[in-house]
Amino acid sequence: MSDNNDTNREQVKAERHQQRQQKVKEAVDAKVASAQDERGVLMVITGNGKGKSTAGFGTVTRAVGHGKSAAVVQFIKGGWECGERNLLQKVGVPFVVMNTGFTWDTQDREQDMIACEQTWLPAEKMLADPSIDIVLLDELTYMVAYHYLDLDRVLSALKNRPSHQHVIITGRGCHRSIIELADTVSEVQSVKHAFEAGVKAQVGFDY
């Protein structure tokens, strides 16, 4: 009798699970069916956690893997060796690199502003180029936060880009106006970081 009761309970559990999953499937299918608008997406990856640039580069790599054209603009950390750049340039992805490194290294606001302008000019051209399917603006948020770039100028370039072009913006403290304009916003939170425990940034893992 106990074996029969156990079997019945398992059958009831299985049936309830199937019913719950069926409802989930119906809800997902309905959302998929209603999402028919195909256009360029503006995505922001911000927050204090590690992995924002990594996520941006992952999306660029995915696009290239599907035969899409991509371009990358790197602010702030441009002076560092970059494994993603080493890989993507080999398959024809153009990069524009600010090459000044961190602002606390340069300690020269005027120099940083000049370098930012020299980097943003080709970025504007990329954002107006219909042949480019996806543009990664890595660490752009700092350029706006430090007032190296005019916010309205950035918003104008984003709003007036080709309708099919995807754009990814990474960096901490993204301006609320860019967040409001964005279609997708992800915030990466820091729970623990190896650097705080004295582990240095390492080639092939951190950059």
Side-chain angles (χ1 to χ4, degrees):
M1 183 68 70
S2 178
D3 289 344
N4 288 337
N5 289 339
D6 289 342
T7 300
N8 290 336
R9 280 195 292 270
E10 290 303 316
Q11 289 177 341
V12 170
K13 286 182 181 179
E15 290 173 0
R16 288 176 177 171
H17 175 77
Q18 189 276 329
Q19 291 168 359
R20 286 195 300 270
Q21 294 305 109
Q22 179 61 31
K23 290 180 179 178
V24 171
K25 182 180 184 305
E26 290 172 357
V28 171
D29 288 347
K31 288 183 179 180
V32 170
S34 65
Q36 296 300 314
D37 187 11
E38 187 170 326
R39 60 176 175 80
V41 171
L42 172 58
M43 178 164 65
V44 171
I45 307 173
T46 190
N48 295 330
K50 174 179 169 58
K52 297 180 291 295
S53 296
T54 302
F57 276 115
T59 305
V60 169
T61 303
R62 174 186 294 155
V64 172
H66 283 293
K68 302 292 186 179
S69 61
V72 177
V73 183
Q74 287 184 290
F75 299 92
I76 296 291
K77 292 189 295 191
W80 283 38
E81 178 73 8
C82 177
E84 294 94 339
R85 186 163 70 238
N86 293 342
L87 175 67
L88 291 169
Q89 283 185 324
K90 290 178 181 177
V91 293
V93 176
F95 275 68
V96 177
V97 183
M98 190 164 159
N99 261 336
T100 56
F102 296 105
T103 55
W104 54 85
D105 287 330
T106 64
Q107 301 179 17
D108 189 332
R109 178 178 172 81
E110 184 176 354
Q111 175 189 327
D112 287 343
M113 291 184 70
I114 292 171
C116 177
E117 176 68 16
Q118 292 173 341
T119 306
W120 178 248
L121 284 173
E124 281 184 316
K125 293 180 180 179
M126 290 174 175
L127 292 170
D129 189 342
S131 72
I132 301 176
D133 297 310
I134 182 169
V135 179
L136 171 60
L137 302 173
D138 188 36
E139 312 284 12
L140 175 69
T141 60
Y142 298 99
M143 301 298 97
V144 175
Y146 297 159
H147 303 291
Y148 293 175
L149 280 178
D150 179 69
L151 173 63
D152 289 337
R153 185 178 173 189
V154 173
L155 292 173
S156 177
L158 294 172
K159 290 175 182 178
N160 295 312
R161 73 188 194 277
S163 61
H164 71 281
Q165 188 183 81
H166 305 297
V167 176
I168 305 169
I169 295 173
T170 69
R172 297 185 182 196
C174 186
H175 195 283
R176 63 182 179 276
S177 295
I178 298 177
I179 289 177
E180 289 170 0
L181 180 64
D183 301 288
T184 299
V185 180
S186 294
E187 186 172 10
V188 182
Q189 295 296 337
S190 181
V191 178
K192 294 176 69 175
H193 198 304
F195 180 72
E196 302 299 332
V199 180
K200 72 176 184 178
Q202 298 172 75
V203 175
F205 184 77
D206 294 292
Y207 60 95

